[in-house]
Amino acid sequence: MDFVNALSWENVHFLLQGLWVTIYVSLISIALSFIIGLVLGTVRYSKIPYLSAITGFIIDIIRNLPLLLIIFFTYFGLPGLGIRVNSVVASIVALVVFESAMIAEIVRSGINAVPEGQMEGARSNGMNFMQAMFYVIMPQALLKMIPALLSQFVSLVKDTSLATIIILPDLLYHAQIVYSQNTNYMIPMYLIIALMYFIVCFCLSLVASYLQKKFG
């Protein structure tokens, strides 16, 4: 009976509100981190004197920091620097910083997986480096990146739950509010949010599979 009561329409509707925040934060973070990661990965691959080395050094530092530490810094540390942000903005900034570094490495690896002759052939046909990268190398590299990018994006969706610690009103936080009113609802809440996370992540995998088949 507790299971049925826990899944009342009021509770499910409340969870869906949290799910929307999770999806909203995830989509913005995915879009921004992909763009920034694409740029950082390309810069690191390009071996531009000093700039590539500095970029690689910063990426390595961020990749080896706990995401939770970055979340704490954006929410509690930035106000000390005069920058005040709410939990949603802090979560997005933290996720974008962390995921951009992870995606930059995926991008660099994807570019390295493209045979060197592709770049040489493009340059011999009169393209400059950026043209060859944009029209020849990157389209091939992106196809090779799809599985790794999907895995990283799925991890990003799940990592949004860490922002509950700074009171991000996401799916997990809403579930905690529901079962805090009745501890018998704890297991039903965890089961339904597990299902919701699965649906979101599974949809991401379907999109990636479609893209891979369409452009592969």
Side-chain angles (χ1 to χ4, degrees):
M1 193 63 172
D2 286 333
F3 193 91
V4 175
N5 292 334
L7 300 182
S8 65
W9 168 242
E10 290 77 9
N11 288 342
V12 172
H13 183 258
F14 189 62
L15 290 178
L16 289 174
Q17 292 176 338
L19 178 62
W20 162 244
V21 174
T22 295
I23 293 174
Y24 173 77
V25 170
S26 298
L27 289 177
I28 293 179
S29 300
I30 286 173
L32 293 178
S33 60
F34 177 70
I35 294 170
I36 297 172
L38 202 62
V39 173
L40 294 177
T42 303
V43 169
R44 190 169 189 183
Y45 166 82
S46 303
K47 296 180 175 58
I48 302 171
Y50 302 110
L51 180 60
S52 294
I54 294 171
T55 301
F57 179 68
I58 294 173
I59 289 172
D60 288 338
I61 290 176
I62 294 173
R63 288 176 63 237
N64 287 285
L65 290 176
L67 175 56
L68 193 58
L69 177 63
I70 299 175
I71 292 173
F72 271 128
F73 177 78
T74 55
Y75 190 67
F76 297 109
L78 289 181
L81 301 175
I83 305 173
R84 297 195 175 277
V85 294
N86 58 37
S87 61
V88 173
V89 174
S91 301
I92 292 173
V93 171
L95 287 167
V96 168
V97 169
F98 184 77
E99 297 297 333
S100 294
M102 305 300 287
I103 291 173
E105 280 303 289
I106 294 174
V107 170
R108 186 173 71 96
S109 299
I111 295 174
N112 282 330
V114 177
E116 292 183 6
Q118 296 290 316
M119 175 62 79
E120 295 171 359
R123 297 298 297 273
S124 65
N125 283 317
M127 293 184 181
N128 58 36
F129 177 83
M130 293 306 298
Q131 289 174 328
M133 183 64 68
F134 184 79
Y135 292 109
V136 179
I137 304 301
M138 196 58 72
Q140 299 179 66
L142 285 172
L143 288 176
K144 298 177 184 295
M145 297 176 208
I146 287 178
L149 286 174
L150 167 65
S151 177
Q152 196 60 46
F153 292 155
V154 169
S155 295
L156 187 154
V157 173
K158 293 184 288 187
D159 285 344
T160 57
S161 61
L162 293 174
T164 301
I165 197 79
I166 59 170
I167 321 180
L168 175 71
D170 68 336
L171 179 56
L172 181 60
Y173 183 73
H174 278 222
Q176 290 175 343
I177 292 176
V178 173
Y179 70 67
S180 66
Q181 298 171 9
N182 188 333
T183 55
N184 292 326
Y185 292 174
M186 182 179 292
I187 293 178
M189 285 298 103
Y190 280 133
L191 287 175
I192 193 170
I193 66 173
L195 177 62
M196 289 180 174
Y197 274 118
F198 170 78
I199 292 172
V200 172
C201 294
F202 184 68
C203 288
L204 271 177
S205 68
L206 290 179
V207 171
S209 298
Y210 170 77
L211 293 176
Q212 200 164 21
K213 289 178 181 177
K214 183 176 178 62
F215 300 107

